[in-house]
Amino acid sequence: MNRNRFSSHPAATAAPATAPSATADDTGTQARRRRRYLAGLAVVALGAPVLAGCSAGAALTPVADSSADPFEAYLAEELDQAFFAQDVLSVQCYADNGYPEYAQFIPTEPGTEHRSEILDQLTVADVFFDSVQDATERGLRSEPMPPAPAKIYVHDASFDAVATACNTKAWAALGAGAEDTLVEYNRLASKLSGIFDPTMDALAPLQEKVIQCLVDAGEPVTPAPGQLFGITPGVELGTPVEYPERSGPKKTSGMEIIPADTEVAYVPTPAEAALAVKYYNCSLETGARDEFAASIREAKKAAIAEHAAELEKLNPRMTEIAATARELTGR
């Protein structure tokens, strides 16, 4: 089966059967920004299935430690491990079968997107900062779009057949039925991530506590429901980060590689950084952080309980696939 792929590590995307070109993302930097719009978070709904991986736990086990993350029952790292192996095998195969330019797009390490981008797309640190340092560095402006990765376009009608054969071979190496299992497990992640819609409802009154703390301290903020951090800051913000417009293919034949953007760090103004630190401190003083953490944890527990049967069914198979993936890549 020839599926389009997207991921946070170097990957290749096979062209659809009707198209003679393909693209591959090269996100060599691990500093990929996670974009969050905390006033109205849209839950990730993956229309196209992604690869999957597995972990050491063969079956679902209750989380006994009250401080443990209930989502540890979902083997996200194993999902990423399997995706990594499939990418390595597929892209190496492209390079070995007439498209040597793909050699530079072979990933070197498994990604972490299934944990960070889907299961943990909303955390206490995201809405209230992680520390004084985090607040100082992030400031109060919404995060920019990430830099565009390097892309490779193949203007060759023969590539689709090569890509299909390579992808089929890579899936087969992971074991019979691996692709279907990984697709099903990836969809399960999307189901679990559905907890974040109701959790967002719990955020607004907690933000109000933090904002009132700032107002009482005479800080220059105006409550603004629907805005990032629930406020309009009355201080000068740093210059927005902007990247060049994403360029598409310009050729009609051969191989075409478009370099990645160079990542630009956002730099808050001193006043902005200071206000962000006060926001963080107020989240501690009001107890908003602990309350939101408890809200997230309870939502995660409920989601795991709701999908316990699916986890018990799929986790043993995911463990097997991930073990095979590690053998295939040596990582």
Side-chain angles (χ1 to χ4, degrees), residues 20-328:
S21 64
T23 65
D25 292 340
D26 176 17
T27 54
T29 175
Q30 293 302 310
R32 180 185 182 191
R33 290 184 178 274
R34 294 159 62 191
R35 291 172 291 120
R36 303 186 185 284
Y37 301 94
L38 303 176
L41 182 69
V43 175
V44 175
L46 297 180
V50 195
L51 305 176
C54 64
S55 160
L60 178 65
T61 56
V63 179
D65 183 356
S66 61
S67 66
D69 184 347
F71 274 6
E72 290 299 322
Y74 183 88
L75 309 181
E77 288 74 16
E78 310 302 80
L79 188 64
D80 287 321
Q81 187 73 43
F83 279 146
F84 169 65
Q86 209 277 346
D87 282 346
V88 168
L89 296 176
S90 294
V91 181
Q92 182 66 66
C93 181
Y94 304 160
D96 292 341
N97 287 273
Y99 303 92
E101 293 85 351
Y102 268 100
Q104 64 184 282
F105 290 92
I106 299 172
T108 57
E109 296 293 339
T112 60
E113 66 268 21
H114 289 91
R115 177 71 59 197
S116 64
E117 299 296 324
I118 301 178
L119 297 180
D120 291 335
Q121 60 179 287
L122 179 63
T123 70
V124 174
D126 293 323
V127 298
F128 296 124
F129 300 107
D130 187 48
S131 62
V132 168
Q133 180 179 355
D134 181 43
T136 301
E137 293 176 352
R138 279 173 54 190
L140 298 168
R141 188 181 288 282
S142 60
E143 293 185 61
M145 292 288 287
K151 295 182 182 296
I152 180 169
Y153 292 89
V154 184
H155 304 285
D156 181 354
S158 300
F159 177 74
D160 188 58
V162 171
T164 298
C166 286
N167 294 345
T168 299
K169 182 178 179 181
W171 280 120
L174 286 171
E179 180 178 15
D180 289 340
T181 298
L182 299 180
V183 167
E184 186 176 359
Y185 205 64
N186 183 72
R187 287 174 177 158
L188 178 56
S190 295
K191 293 178 184 178
L192 293 172
S193 73
I195 63 120
F196 294 112
D197 273 343
T199 303
M200 285 302 299
D201 295 335
L203 175 59
L206 298 177
Q207 281 186 325
E208 290 173 5
K209 288 184 179 182
V210 174
I211 296 165
Q212 189 60 52
C213 171
L214 291 170
V215 171
D216 291 344
E219 298 300 334
V221 299
T222 301
Q227 297 299 311
L228 187 67
F229 300 112
I231 61 172
T232 298
V235 298
E236 182 182 1
L237 302 183
T239 303
V241 172
E242 296 182 0
Y243 291 102
E245 183 178 352
R246 269 61 169 170
S247 60
K250 297 178 174 59
K251 298 181 179 180
T252 58
S253 63
M255 303 286 285
E256 182 177 3
I257 296 177
I258 298 176
D261 289 339
T262 299
E263 184 167 21
V264 179
Y266 173 66
V267 180
T269 64
E272 176 187 359
L275 183 55
V277 169
K278 291 170 183 175
Y279 192 100
Y280 166 74
N281 289 336
C282 275
S283 76
L284 290 171
E285 295 171 16
T286 60
R289 300 178 67 83
D290 290 341
E291 289 187 57
F292 195 54
S295 174
I296 291 176
R297 177 175 170 74
E298 290 306 309
K300 285 184 174 183
K301 285 172 62 178
I304 291 296
E306 180 179 351
H307 297 286
E310 292 165 271
L311 287 163
E312 290 176 353
K313 169 192 169 186
L314 294 171
N315 276 4
R317 179 62 181 131
M318 288 302 306
T319 300
E320 295 173 1
I321 296 171
T324 299
R326 291 187 178 95
E327 291 177 2
L328 291 168

